[in-house]
Amino acid sequence: MTLSPKLRWGILGPGNIAKAFAGGIAHSETGELVAVGARRPDKARYAEDFAGARVLDGYQALLEDSEVEAVYISTPHPLHAEWAIKAARAGKHVLCEKPMGLTAYEADAAFNAARKAGTFMGEAFMYRFHPQTAKLIELVAGGAVGQVRLIRSSFGFAMPSVMADHRLYANHLAGGGILDVGCYPVSIARLLAGAVEGKPFLDPVKVVGTAHLGETGVDEWASAILHFDNGIIAEASCSISLKQDNILRVFGTEGRIEVADFWFASGVKGGVGNIEIVRPDGSRETVSVAEDRWLYAFEVDAVAGAVRAGRQEFAAPGKSWDDTLGNMRTLDRWRAAAGLTYEVEKPALRKATLSGDRLEKRAETIGRRNLPGIGKPLSEVALGFEDFPDFASAAILLDAFYEAGGNVFDTAFVYGGGRTEAILGDWLSSRGVREEAVVIGKGAHSPLAYPDVIAKQLDQSLERLKTNHVDVYFMHRDNPDVPVGEFVDAMDAEVKAGRIRGLFGGSNWSMERMSEAIDYARKNGKTAPGVLSNNFSLAEMIDPIWAGCVSASDAAWKAWLTEHQIPNFAWSSQGRGFFTERAGRDKRDNEELVRCWYSDDNFARRDRAEEMAGERGVKPIHIALAYALAQPFPVVPLIGPRRLMELDDSLTALSLKLSAADVRWLETGER
């Protein structure tokens, strides 16, 4: 896009905050408002509130307008991430009103869309760009009140009454104080805690929060305590039904700083902002910051500055992507502690993807293959997702994996105490893709690795998964004290009952037990184990990560797998970070990496992976995944990204094709 002399803006969602932002554009040095996208474009007030701008019929019309270069999003909260993603995909630069999304997961997805599109995206906190904020940072960092110990801030006001349909009280619009105004005291606390360390921000190591949830199910007043690793404690409070004093207080060993309504700085239309320094003896010093420019004009010019410099995110003290994500994670923890979940985050109302689309396969990034015993094609990698807290956060990754061509999902009875299975069940049901999906179930983990546990746990797993069968089943651990035939009998019974409709086998089973199980089945007319889930990687695991873990990476295992052609659904196929910058001969701070993967042979393989990666323009971790896929026996690597950028990065490896000679060289160094 060729930039105009002034950055041409469109506003998506013409509410009250959009009117204030339009004033900022009009009084900026770099911006021009050219269009407004409205769902009710016939409102008479738009001509006055957005003078000179074309009013377009709908949000999509704004994104399709070729004159618009940058979009300011000021819709209700649940639409922020959706339209930020759509705007980025349309090639528009985006300034999204806070919060960037309902959660850090949504914000991260929006930033990932901008990252891929090569466009700018930022979260709008207007106070961050005002000279008063720069002065406040200077005073705190310079020790104006000694060593900072406590930060206390609030943003609270009282609406006239509870109005169920108002965006601040409507649960389906993610109303309440925490997301709407609680983000301000959290953001200033993180900003100032970082300033003490000479950093743009600092994230709390501990968050304790609570809230009063009113009759509409949103937080009407709420408070949180943030504890930072430099010893600073911050008290943040917010409200929509309670007026507070809204004074920022920074307490140090030599006095305190007070700033009234810090987020308004010197005023929306300019003026004088005062920073009060109160000494222990009660004496006061006023540091005044006079500024004639309009408050919102600063962020307009900051966007233009970033765009013209080719940056995709704000520079400090504006909120970088990591700054926004840290703020959102803190709000997530506050909400979780308060028990605040919005109905719009639940499966019943989350039928579409985050971008508002119907889920469908949109790319062939992840190829599919056929394996004997599984009655449908399955993707060449499987997705594990055990760490997500809820349906809404996990669905973002599940949707993206499916859209890229993935359809194999790894779960287990023990993951998250059953939460992972329940999330997948909700997702499969809400998206209507159960028949195409290949669902992996695992049960009978130690210390409950017994034959009679298999059916009992599968009962619960299927209920959570909202299905009557799994497509692949693994015993999660072995118990050598139990005759292997008893385990085969138990799993064979589930096959005959139709609750396992594909392959079954062992996860973390030895070669000897697998062979014994296969022989038993053949001799006794039972279904034979036909699949394995052991660790497999270019880096051989030298010590089990957890008790009972088994690796299948050595030469004997490779020969056995090649002979039997048994698929290995391989966990930790990329060495759990061994092929990233987290590992190195001189890096010994990660106990697990050192204990499980550090050996001369593994570092030699890592060196060769780095060399090959350099030749092919990829990363060593991509070579490690491509190595697993290039074996002479079937390998389905289990990948466990938490962020979309990590998923995209992992999938880079799928375009790499390694020859048998490449595999041999990576293993041995022999050409």
Side-chain angles (χ1 to χ4, degrees), residues 10 34 37 83 95 146 191 222 273 362 454 515 518 534 537 552 619 660 667:
V34 297
W83 287 97
L95 178 65
L191 178 71
R362 300 178 186 278
I454 292 173
S515 296
I518 293 170
N534 283 9
S537 174
K619 301 175 185 176
E667 292 174 339

Side-chain angles (χ1 to χ4, degrees), residues 529-548:
V531 66
L532 182 75
S533 184
N534 283 9
N535 166 249
F536 181 83
S537 174
L538 175 59
E540 295 183 14
M541 187 174 66
I542 58 176
D543 192 58
I545 298 171
W546 305 288

Side-chain angles (χ1 to χ4, degrees), residues 348-426:
L349 296 180
R350 278 281 171 115
K351 299 282 188 183
T353 68
L354 186 59
S355 59
D357 300 316
R358 181 181 180 276
L359 181 66
E360 59 184 49
K361 181 180 175 184
R362 300 178 186 278
E364 303 291 339
T365 306
I366 306 174
R368 295 192 180 179
R369 66 194 303 178
N370 291 300
L371 289 179
I374 299 179
K376 65 187 84 170
L378 68 165
S379 53
E380 53 190 327
V381 294
L383 181 69
F385 58 101
E386 61 188 275
D387 293 331
F388 288 91
D390 52 38
F391 169 81
S393 58
I396 296 170
L397 184 70
L398 292 167
D399 288 343
F401 180 71
Y402 185 90
E403 287 182 329
N407 73 330
V408 184
F409 302 94
D410 176 59
T411 65
F413 179 83
V414 299
Y415 289 166
R419 185 180 67 248
T420 300
E421 289 182 328
I423 287 173
L424 181 59
D426 284 337

Side-chain angles (χ1 to χ4, degrees), residues 3-207:
L3 293 177
S4 56
K6 284 195 171 184
L7 191 62
R8 297 191 299 263
W9 284 88
I11 291 179
L12 196 153
N16 289 332
I17 192 69
K19 179 180 176 180
F21 183 77
I25 296 176
H27 290 83
S28 72
E29 298 174 354
T30 61
E32 175 187 6
L33 179 61
V34 297
V36 174
R39 290 183 168 177
R40 294 177 58 189
D42 56 343
K43 282 190 176 183
R45 69 173 179 83
Y46 291 160
E48 178 182 351
D49 292 348
F50 309 103
R54 292 176 289 111
V55 181
L56 306 178
D57 187 1
Y59 300 161
Q60 187 62 36
L62 185 74
L63 301 188
E64 294 172 358
D65 192 299
S66 61
E67 191 178 7
V68 173
E69 297 172 305
V71 173
Y72 172 70
I73 297 174
S74 54
T75 61
H77 299 162
L79 300 178
H80 283 188
E82 174 184 342
W83 287 97
I85 291 170
K86 288 178 176 177
R89 290 175 177 173
K92 310 297 185 184
H93 304 295
V94 174
L95 178 65
C96 184
E97 189 53 50
K98 52 74 203 163
M100 192 71 222
L102 299 188
T103 64
Y105 295 99
E106 290 194 5
D108 191 49
F111 291 146
N112 192 62
R115 182 184 292 111
K116 295 168 74 170
T119 53
F120 171 88
M121 187 175 289
E123 185 181 27
F125 276 83
M126 71 291 194
Y127 84 90
R128 284 292 190 100
F129 305 96
H130 195 279
Q132 178 179 283
T133 300
K135 174 56 70 174
L136 182 59
I137 292 171
E138 177 187 324
L139 291 170
V140 169
V145 290
Q147 297 181 19
V148 176
R149 293 286 186 260
L150 179 70
I151 300 169
R152 185 177 292 153
S153 179
S154 65
F155 192 159
F157 54 88
M159 293 286 285
S161 63
V162 174
M163 295 173 280
D165 294 332
H166 192 283
R167 70 169 188 87
L168 288 174
Y169 287 98
N171 187 288
H172 71 281
L173 296 180
I178 293 175
L179 288 189
D180 197 68
V181 290
C183 52
Y184 282 97
V186 167
S187 74
I188 194 66
R190 295 174 55 260
L191 178 71
L192 297 181
V196 170
E197 305 296 325
K199 298 178 180 179
F201 62 86
L202 204 62
D203 288 322
V205 293
K206 186 177 182 180
V207 178

Side-chain angles (χ1 to χ4, degrees), residues 475-635:
M475 268 196 61
H476 211 162
R477 291 289 191 276
D478 191 12
N479 184 349
D481 293 334
V482 176
V484 74
E486 295 183 24
F487 288 129
V488 173
D489 289 346
M491 289 186 279
D492 175 71
E494 298 302 331
V495 172
K496 289 182 168 57
R499 303 206 306 173
I500 300 174
R501 294 191 189 173
L503 301 173
F504 71 78
S507 175
N508 297 293
W509 274 39
S510 70
M511 187 190 310
E512 292 73 22
R513 287 280 280 186
M514 279 293 292
S515 296
E516 185 182 352
I518 293 170
D519 289 344
Y520 170 87
R522 289 173 176 168
K523 291 176 181 177
N524 291 276
K526 305 289 185 179
T527 308
V531 66
L532 182 75
S533 184
N534 283 9
N535 166 249
F536 181 83
S537 174
L538 175 59
E540 295 183 14
M541 187 174 66
I542 58 176
D543 192 58
I545 298 171
W546 305 288
C549 288
V550 177
S551 174
S553 301
D554 63 20
W557 261 112
K558 291 174 202 172
W560 188 89
L561 289 166
T562 301
E563 176 187 354
H564 292 82
Q565 286 298 298
I566 286 184
N568 185 13
F569 284 67
W571 55 267
S572 294
S573 58
Q574 294 165 293
R576 296 180 71 83
F578 181 74
F579 293 94
T580 71
E581 294 180 354
R582 290 170 50 204
R585 289 177 173 87
D586 59 342
K587 296 180 180 179
R588 309 191 69 82
D589 57 323
N590 187 307
E591 183 275 335
E592 180 185 285
L593 278 175
V594 173
R595 176 176 59 85
C596 301
W597 308 101
Y598 277 30
S599 71
D600 290 341
D601 286 344
N602 279 343
F603 274 115
R605 297 185 188 102
R606 186 177 188 268
D607 291 341
R608 290 191 287 271
E610 288 178 340
E611 181 180 337
M612 183 177 287
E615 293 170 352
R616 302 199 180 195
V618 295
K619 301 175 185 176
I621 197 169
H622 300 147
I623 297 297
L625 186 55
Y627 166 84
L629 291 166
Q631 297 304 308
F633 50 87
V635 176

